[in-house]
């Protein structure tokens, strides 16, 4: 997600210069440069210095170069404290106005933010009633105006920040500077990262250590619900009630390059580990206080959605497999027929589309040309198009009737992982929303299913923590030259995604099948030692599915296959037929893909790594296929 930098210090800290210096701006821009890898679509800085009545700031959409050019054209004054921000747009598109920092209190207060504030619309209404006028579409500006109101009451920035943090729900890291106190930066964190860099006569803040590791390796990790105040010579930590609290001291043992990956060996590994957040963040802000599902960007009239009699999902690659999972869930919950079409096939198929067809376009980048062309074709045929996209302000949402953004944050590795889980999560949200709207499910049923969905983030984390056994198995299989993947029901798209991951990353021929298809031909592929992954449905799920898949495992094992089984904790029926078992926590049948795919992602990454391949930039592939 967004990149954050904070600095409090003066030129005297390094070169005996004047109190106010260029160093705060230099540190802020250099830190943002180090955080570029996080992906962003706008950037900005704010500075405060002695004798200046307001915060000075600059912010621009686009890349850091645009910000640097803006500052070159309109130089900023010497300062003693600075905050800097790279924004990955969630609420509000990537524009100059929506870029951070956001100013308040007569431009004396500047605020930057990383996260999603769930209750921003209620707070915005309350502030508007108090006469506040908003310039942007962002939740951050709401936080800035709330902080300004608390500052006017408290007269102290740290106290005001704590009062503000207590009123927010969602995930947030906030940093603020105020012209009244030009040597101070105050931060607050809840569920979003913030670390302190400890210098000599200067101190730093960052969304991760990459922001300041070139200046100091001495750091302080902040805990949940903490307020931090940095000045050139002091760091103070309290809880949200103002009581003294402790951060956790550590010494950074990464170099700056490694820090960009959060200490992981690859962006892909980092993004696999980001998946619990990707699921949780995609769910944030999707229900109101009564538990009803609310979709803020949905610009399709409810009456139109009630009249929908067919859904066609269009997507490519991994996104298409997310669409296949969506098919099972939406058909089961909403009783609407769902077709899943590869976007590049859809537009040449003369599809049967009319005004009662809802086309759902799934895309991480929002720029895949095949999918964009299919969206245009669908709209020409009179269909309404709803986009499920991860990149705010990209082309596909702009050309759709509605958008349901995933909040996976920028996905840097070419092979999609966290975006896939976020796409599935968004598809579940859409399915539950339609079931709620069309009366297929009572409100209490929707609320219960949504609670089960919220619990999946924790279960994804459990699967990740079991990853070492998967990695070890992968490392022992470097010689594999073809691998099969089997699954039934929602396990079938998981099998196809597992095969795609192995193809993309380890350059091994791999194929995903519906397990029931085996005896109609593919079983001829089974010979001694042939590795076959099998995704086993929950034994508590749809009747017979589980027993049929166990029979499939028996069939291939009898013919010499090496069976690598993904199964739920406690599923003892698979033990006697599995050469390897990768256990996942129990979960509702339709939600199991969020868990079952994770061992397959880890396996593909580990095998590719063992072969010395580049898991972030596999050969021949691009992150966004913007040509047909
Ligand atoms: C996924 O690992 C691949 N990189 C690829 O299949 C990707 O999912 C596909 O190109 C669609 O991209 P999109 O989600 O950005 O539209």
């Amino acid at each position: 997600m967004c990149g954050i930098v904070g600095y409090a210090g003066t030129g005297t800290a390094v070169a005996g210069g004047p109190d106010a210096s260029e160093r705060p701006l230099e540190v802020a821009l250099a830190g943002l440069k180090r955080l570029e890898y996080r992906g962003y679509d706008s950037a900005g800085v704010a500075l405060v210095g002695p004798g200046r009545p307001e915060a000075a700031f600059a912010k621009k959409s686009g890349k850091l170069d645009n910000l640097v050019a803006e500052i070159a054209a309109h130089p900023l004054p010497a300062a003693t404290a600075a905050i800097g921000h790279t924004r990955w747009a969630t609420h509000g598109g990537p524009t100059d106005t929506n870029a951070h920092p956001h100013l308040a209190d007569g431009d004396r207060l500047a605020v930057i933010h990383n996260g999603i504030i769930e209750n921003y619309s209620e707070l915005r209404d309350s502030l508007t009633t108090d006469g506040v006028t908003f310039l942007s579409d962002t939740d951050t500006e709401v936080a800035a105006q709330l902080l300004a109101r608390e500052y006017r009451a408290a007269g102290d920035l740290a106290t005001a920040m704590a009062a503000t943090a207590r009123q927010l729900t969602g995930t947030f890291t906030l940093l603020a500077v105020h012209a009244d106190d030009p040597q101070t930066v105050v931060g607050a964190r809840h569920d979003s990262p913030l670390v302190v860099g400890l210098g000599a006569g200067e101190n730093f803040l960052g969304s991760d250590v990459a922001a300041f590791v070139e200046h100091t390796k001495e750091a302080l990790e902040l805990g949940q619900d903490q307020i931090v105040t940095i000045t050139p010579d002091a760091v103070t930590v309290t809880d949200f009630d103002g009581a003294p609290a402790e951060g956790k001291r550590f010494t950074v043992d990464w170099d700056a390059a490694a820090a960009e990956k959060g200490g992981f060996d690859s962006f892909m590994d980092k993004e696999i580990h980001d998946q619990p957040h990707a699921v949780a963040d995609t769910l944030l802000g999707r229900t109101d206080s009564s538990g009803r599902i609310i979709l803020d960007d949905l610009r399709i009239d409810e009456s139109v959605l009630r009249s929908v009699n067919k859904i066609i999902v269009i997507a490519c690659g991994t996104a298409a497999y997310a669409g296949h999972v969506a098919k099972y869930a939406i058909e089961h919950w909403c009783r609407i027929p769902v077709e899943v079409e590869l976007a590049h096939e859809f537009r040449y198929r003369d599809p049967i589309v009319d005004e009662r067809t809802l086309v759902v376009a799934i895309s991480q980048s929002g720029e895949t040309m095949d999918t964009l062309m299919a969206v245009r074709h669908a709209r020409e045929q009179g269909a309404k198009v709803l986009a499920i996209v991860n990149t705010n302000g990209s082309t596909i949402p702009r050309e759709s009737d509605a958008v349901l953004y995933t909040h996976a944050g920028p996905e840097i590795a070419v092979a999609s992982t966290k975006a896939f889980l976020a796409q599935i999560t968004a598809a579940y949200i859409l399915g539950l929303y339609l079931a709620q709207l069309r009366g297929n499910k009572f409100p209490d049923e929707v609320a219960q299913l949504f609670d089960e969905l919220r619990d999946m983030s924790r279960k994804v984390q459990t699967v990740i923590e079991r990853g070492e056994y998967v990695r070890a198995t992968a490392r022992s299989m470097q010689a594999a030259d073809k691998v099969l993947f089997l699954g039934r029901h929602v396990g079938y798209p998981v099998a196809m995604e597992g095969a795609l991951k192995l193809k993309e990353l380890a350059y091994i021929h791999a194929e995903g099948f519906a397990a029931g298809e085996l005896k109609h031909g593919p079983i001829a592929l089974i010979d001694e030692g042939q590795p076959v992954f099998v995704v086993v449905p929950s034994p508590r799920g749809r009747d017979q599915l589980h027993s049929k898949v166990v029979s499939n495992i028996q069939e291939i094992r009898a013919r010499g296959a090496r069976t690598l089984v993904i199964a739920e904790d406690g599923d003892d029926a698979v033990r006697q037929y599995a050469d390897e078992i990768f256990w996942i926590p129990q979960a509702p049948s339709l939600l199991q893909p969020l868990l079952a795919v994770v061992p397959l992602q880890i396996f593909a990454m580990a095998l590719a790594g063992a072969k010395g391949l580049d898991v972030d930039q596999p050969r021949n592939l691009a992150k966004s296929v913007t040509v047909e």
Side-chain angles (χ1 to χ4, degrees), residues 88-89 282 286 360-367 371 375 386-398 400 402-408 419 422-423 426:
W88 173 262
T282 299
R286 308 293 191 183
V360 177
I362 302 179
S363 175
Q364 187 289 127
S365 62
E367 300 296 348
T371 308
V375 163
L386 185 153
I388 292 179
V389 167
N390 194 47
T391 308
N392 199 305
S394 54
T395 306
I396 289 172
R398 277 206 308 274
S400 300
V403 60
L404 178 49
Y405 280 114
T406 52
H407 293 149
Q423 288 161 354

Side-chain angles (χ1 to χ4, degrees), residues 237-581:
V237 182
T238 71
D239 63 19
F240 279 3
D241 295 321
E246 295 291 323
K248 191 169 73 178
R249 264 310 276 267
F250 69 98
T251 301
V252 181
D253 56 6
W254 308 322
D255 59 26
E260 289 183 1
K261 297 166 190 163
F264 292 99
D265 293 338
S266 65
F267 284 117
M268 182 168 188
D269 202 5
K270 179 178 180 295
E271 287 156 9
I272 286 175
H273 283 78
D274 280 348
Q275 293 187 122
H277 282 299
V279 172
D281 288 354
T282 299
L283 292 167
L284 279 179
R286 308 293 191 183
T287 55
D288 64 17
S289 50
S290 72
R292 286 179 57 77
I293 297 176
I294 49 173
L295 300 184
D296 46 4
D297 285 316
L298 211 53
R299 298 185 299 276
I300 298 182
D301 192 278
E302 288 188 353
S303 61
V304 171
L305 291 175
R306 286 196 184 90
S307 73
V308 164
N309 63 3
K310 177 165 72 169
I311 291 174
I312 301 178
V313 178
I314 54 175
C316 301
T318 291
Y321 300 143
H324 279 285
V325 174
K327 169 186 172 68
Y328 289 96
I330 294 174
E331 286 186 341
H332 183 69
W333 289 333
C334 308
R335 311 309 299 146
I336 305 173
V338 179
E339 297 170 16
V340 183
E341 278 287 343
L342 291 171
H344 40 79
E345 288 293 318
F346 171 77
R347 55 193 289 239
Y348 300 109
R349 179 176 67 90
D350 292 330
I352 298 161
V353 171
D354 62 26
E355 70 285 347
R356 294 187 66 190
T357 307
L358 176 65
V359 168
V360 177
I362 302 179
S363 175
Q364 187 289 127
S365 62
E367 300 296 348
T368 298
M369 190 54 71
D370 289 322
T371 308
L372 176 60
M373 292 299 111
V375 163
R376 289 178 180 167
H377 184 69
R379 299 194 76 196
E380 286 160 10
Q381 309 295 312
K384 290 293 183 194
V385 177
L386 185 153
I388 292 179
V389 167
N390 194 47
T391 308
N392 199 305
S394 54
T395 306
I396 289 172
R398 277 206 308 274
E399 299 203 16
S400 300
D401 297 289
V403 60
L404 178 49
Y405 280 114
T406 52
H407 293 149
E411 190 174 66
I412 310 300
V414 167
S416 187
T417 50
K418 62 176 185 173
F420 179 60
L421 263 63
Q423 288 161 354
I424 294 173
T425 302
Y428 290 145
I429 294 169
L430 176 62
L432 290 175
Y433 175 77
L434 291 173
Q436 167 187 286
L437 181 71
R438 298 160 62 101
N440 303 91
K441 291 279 178 196
F442 297 125
D444 60 337
E445 293 172 308
V446 170
Q448 190 206 328
L449 284 163
F450 206 92
D451 284 345
E452 287 172 349
L453 198 41
R454 276 199 190 93
D455 199 28
M456 295 304 287
S457 174
R458 171 182 67 81
K459 296 183 177 181
V460 172
Q461 182 59 35
T462 300
V463 181
I464 291 167
E465 288 164 0
R466 297 177 181 174
E468 189 41 46
Y469 180 48
V470 181
R471 293 168 195 265
T473 304
R475 288 192 289 268
S476 73
M477 293 177 65
Q478 293 182 49
D481 62 359
K482 65 179 175 8
V483 180
L484 307 181
F485 293 77
L486 303 183
R488 275 184 192 257
H489 197 255
V490 287
Y492 172 30
V494 172
M496 292 194 286
E497 169 61 7
L500 176 59
K501 283 287 149 311
L502 200 57
K503 282 182 265 196
E504 287 190 279
L505 293 164
Y507 313 153
I508 289 174
H509 181 76
E511 198 163 351
F513 295 102
E517 190 61 10
L518 210 57
K519 53 184 163 306
H520 300 287
I523 201 165
L525 289 171
I526 306 297
D527 56 12
E528 192 56 36
Q530 170 62 54
V532 183
F533 279 90
V534 186
V535 179
V536 179
S538 166
R540 307 175 329 284
R542 172 138 282 178
D543 57 340
Q544 295 190 36
L545 264 185
H546 177 265
S547 57
K548 288 193 183 308
V549 173
V550 173
S551 302
N552 295 140
I553 300 174
Q554 284 179 276
E555 287 159 16
I556 57 176
R557 188 79 175 301
R559 289 164 175 79
R562 179 181 181 195
T563 54
L564 301 105
V565 171
I566 314 286
E568 278 197 356
D569 291 341
D571 184 356
D572 292 331
V574 302
R575 286 182 190 279
Q576 56 185 312
Y577 309 115
D579 293 304
E580 312 291 348
I581 304 179

